[in-house]
Amino acid sequence: MTKRFMVRPALCIGCRTCELACSLTHQEGKTPGRTRIYPLAVGKEKWVPVACLQCDDPACVKSCLVDALRMNEELGYIELLQERCIKCRACVAACPFGCSLIDEEQEIIVKCDLCEGNPACARFCPTKALEYK
Amino acid sequence: MKIQINGRWYKAREGEMVLDVLRREGIEVPALCAHEAVEPYGACRLCMVEITHEDWGGWKGNVTSCLYPVEDKLIVQTHTEDVIELRKMVLNLLLARCPNTPEIQKLAEEYGIDITDFVPREDADDCIMCGLCTRVCTQMGFNAISVAGRGYDREVATPLKEAPPDCVGCLACVNICPTNHIKYQDVGTTREIWGRQFELVKCKECGKALITREFADYLIKNRDIPADYFDVCDDCKRAGTAKNFKKLVHWEEKEEAEEEVSV
């Protein structure tokens, strides 16, 4: 069975290590505020790390008219083929969870790819609020 | 299958073009009209390479790598004297067509051409007639723009040069254009492109706009995406996701986990 990305918001302490890990993995440590994972405060000391849920019936894939997004069956994540993307923002507008993002600086669309099977955010999460197993 | 490029062997897959292998392996070959979102077209002629094969009895040829399918044991040279001469000629011609285009100037300079040998076009614009914009528009299913006219007057245009009825203002043509020829303008929540105005969908919560109403309607109708997905922007949807999680989470889990750790 493919591994699952597990989020346990109750364990999240809002330390933003996941953001930093994501930023260092994907964009050389630049703009940790615009990464593929977002720990959002929902109350006093309550945090929810929001990241792509790799839906079974993904709106982003359906909205892509040039097939730049596709399900990677082997690793169980939705893959964004950067070379094919024409930056029309359809997936950004269509994702019901808001997890397809625009990197304004590099002018590209970014989306969680579970680090192709070894997500850095989960590896570095000190409280195991994020796990990949 | 294996092909040889500049003396080294690389893996290739059945059905792909030589340029696909070159790009995957990071071998630098200029190409302006090739994009993975659309079928290869062979318009710019810059990706020319020399090919030969041990079974061809010494025959060599220069082909556009974007349109040449790989075959086993194909031998490719990307920077022979002839190929460089061909690219220089193409850039010379492109520079005559687009003398003021920075992308063309830069590429020409890389090949040692500062000024074109031909007569530069007087009414020059930035279009190199690569057809990427019209091809991507067709690929996306809109067919709003096309190539019109012949010879010197050939240009990318809308039907009858009027505001295109089939355009949805997705900006695919703008984003794919290698020379930034196609212009658009976003003023507030109004987008203007190809002489037509579009209203952008405003986020119900914060007012941020991502795509046009027409594009959203197209996706709702043809791509089976629920209409309410487009009501709010990505930032507000993430906040909404966090709020929904909050309702589902049993926060007492935290204490239990802390106990586990202390043991």
Side-chain angles (χ1 to χ4, degrees):
Chain A
M1 208 188 116
T2 49
K3 286 183 176 181
R4 284 268 163 192
F5 185 69
M6 297 199 350
V7 181
R8 288 201 284 172
L11 303 184
C12 180
I13 53 167
C15 67
R16 300 187 179 272
T17 307
C18 50
E19 277 189 352
L20 197 59
C22 182
S23 179
L24 287 165
T25 312
H26 291 288
Q27 46 206 45
E28 297 158 351
K30 281 183 262 174
T31 56
R34 291 293 290 172
T35 44
R36 293 147 177 82
I37 183 149
Y38 277 77
L40 293 174
V42 289
K44 194 169 177 275
E45 287 180 24
K46 284 182 179 167
W47 300 79
V48 177
V50 180
C52 175
L53 303 173
Q54 321 289 350
C55 311
D56 288 334
D57 182 23
C60 56
V61 174
K62 282 199 282 185
S63 74
C64 187
L65 301 178
V66 291
D67 301 327
L69 284 155
R70 65 167 186 211
M71 185 53 124
N72 184 319
E73 299 287 348
E74 194 190 333
L75 294 166
Y77 75 97
I78 296 156
E79 193 175 9
L80 168 60
L81 306 168
Q82 209 58 259
E83 299 292 301
R84 260 176 177 261
C85 175
I86 41 125
K87 295 142 197 107
C88 70
R89 302 183 174 195
C91 54
V92 182
C95 173
F97 305 104
C99 289
S100 191
L101 312 155
I102 305 163
D103 184 333
E104 304 276 2
E105 205 167 292
Q106 296 183 64
E107 294 178 345
I108 52 168
I109 306 295
V110 293
K111 198 205 134 294
C112 172
D113 58 355
L114 294 176
C115 296
E116 293 176 7
N118 190 10
C121 52
R123 254 185 298 151
F124 285 94
C125 180
T127 61
K128 293 198 173 163
L130 299 171
E131 274 188 290
Y132 187 65
K133 61 181 187 184
Chain B
M1 164 187 332
K2 273 182 170 182
I3 68 169
Q4 196 196 73
I5 305 166
N6 298 342
R8 268 190 68 183
W9 290 96
Y10 296 91
K11 269 186 197 157
R13 297 178 205 126
E14 186 74 45
E16 67 183 352
M17 301 293 162
V18 173
L19 184 65
D20 296 330
V21 184
L22 293 170
R23 284 192 164 174
R24 189 171 58 237
E25 301 295 346
I27 299 159
E28 200 89 9
V29 162
L32 290 170
C33 74
H35 194 282
E36 289 198 10
V38 292
E39 293 291 309
Y41 191 59
C44 78
R45 321 304 290 177
L46 280 171
C47 67
M48 297 289 279
V49 292
E50 185 195 273
I51 51 159
T52 186
H53 197 282
E54 56 182 22
D55 301 342
W56 292 355
W59 187 86
K60 285 177 186 175
N62 295 318
V63 296
T64 46
S65 59
C66 65
L67 284 172
Y68 200 88
V70 291
E71 59 185 280
D72 200 24
K73 292 179 187 161
L74 189 75
I75 299 164
V76 180
Q77 287 288 340
T78 61
H79 285 79
T80 64
E81 243 171 67
D82 278 0
V83 164
I84 289 172
E85 210 46 51
L86 276 168
R87 281 188 209 141
K88 274 186 178 174
M89 177 54 83
V90 170
L91 284 164
N92 214 333
L93 287 161
L94 279 176
L95 202 57
R97 188 189 162 92
C98 304
N100 310 315
T101 307
E103 289 81 3
I104 302 298
Q105 286 170 339
K106 195 172 157 256
L107 207 52
E109 214 179 285
E110 278 172 31
Y111 278 79
I113 303 161
D114 295 327
I115 303 163
T116 176
D117 297 332
F118 301 95
V119 182
R121 200 177 162 120
E122 274 171 28
D123 55 344
D125 54 23
D126 294 328
C127 181
I128 56 161
M129 298 305 304
C130 70
L132 270 177
C133 52
T134 58
R135 282 183 286 149
V136 80
C137 195
T138 305
Q139 176 80 26
M140 293 187 77
F142 302 123
N143 282 308
I145 49 170
S146 177
V147 174
R150 290 280 182 278
Y152 195 84
D153 298 323
R154 199 168 146 87
E155 61 174 345
V156 172
T158 56
L160 304 170
K161 300 193 180 170
E162 289 168 1
D166 296 326
C167 181
V168 296
C170 67
L171 301 190
C173 52
V174 175
N175 292 327
I176 209 166
C177 179
T179 52
N180 290 315
H181 168 63
I182 304 165
K183 300 285 185 284
Y184 78 104
Q185 213 179 7
D186 276 359
V187 181
T189 55
T190 310
R191 170 171 295 167
E192 194 184 322
I193 184 166
W194 295 113
R196 188 175 157 192
Q197 294 206 329
F198 297 92
E199 210 44 47
L200 295 166
V201 184
K202 257 168 70 177
C203 170
K204 271 185 185 167
E205 284 165 33
C206 72
K208 180 177 163 183
L210 285 168
I211 59 172
T212 65
R213 183 74 261 165
E214 283 80 357
F215 194 18
D217 287 344
Y218 179 88
L219 295 171
I220 293 162
K221 198 169 154 234
N222 298 291
R223 287 284 169 149
D224 194 26
I225 294 169
D228 57 345
Y229 282 14
F230 296 99
D231 288 348
V232 285
C233 72
D234 57 326
D235 293 331
C236 296
K237 280 194 278 200
R238 269 196 307 281
T241 307
K243 271 184 208 151
N244 286 336
F245 257 101
K246 192 188 170 187
K247 287 181 210 153
L248 299 167
V249 173
H250 305 292
W251 293 98
E252 60 274 16
E253 212 182 293
K254 196 170 192 167
E255 280 97 56
E256 282 169 28
E258 271 166 10
E259 278 163 30
E260 270 175 46
V261 173
S262 62
V263 173

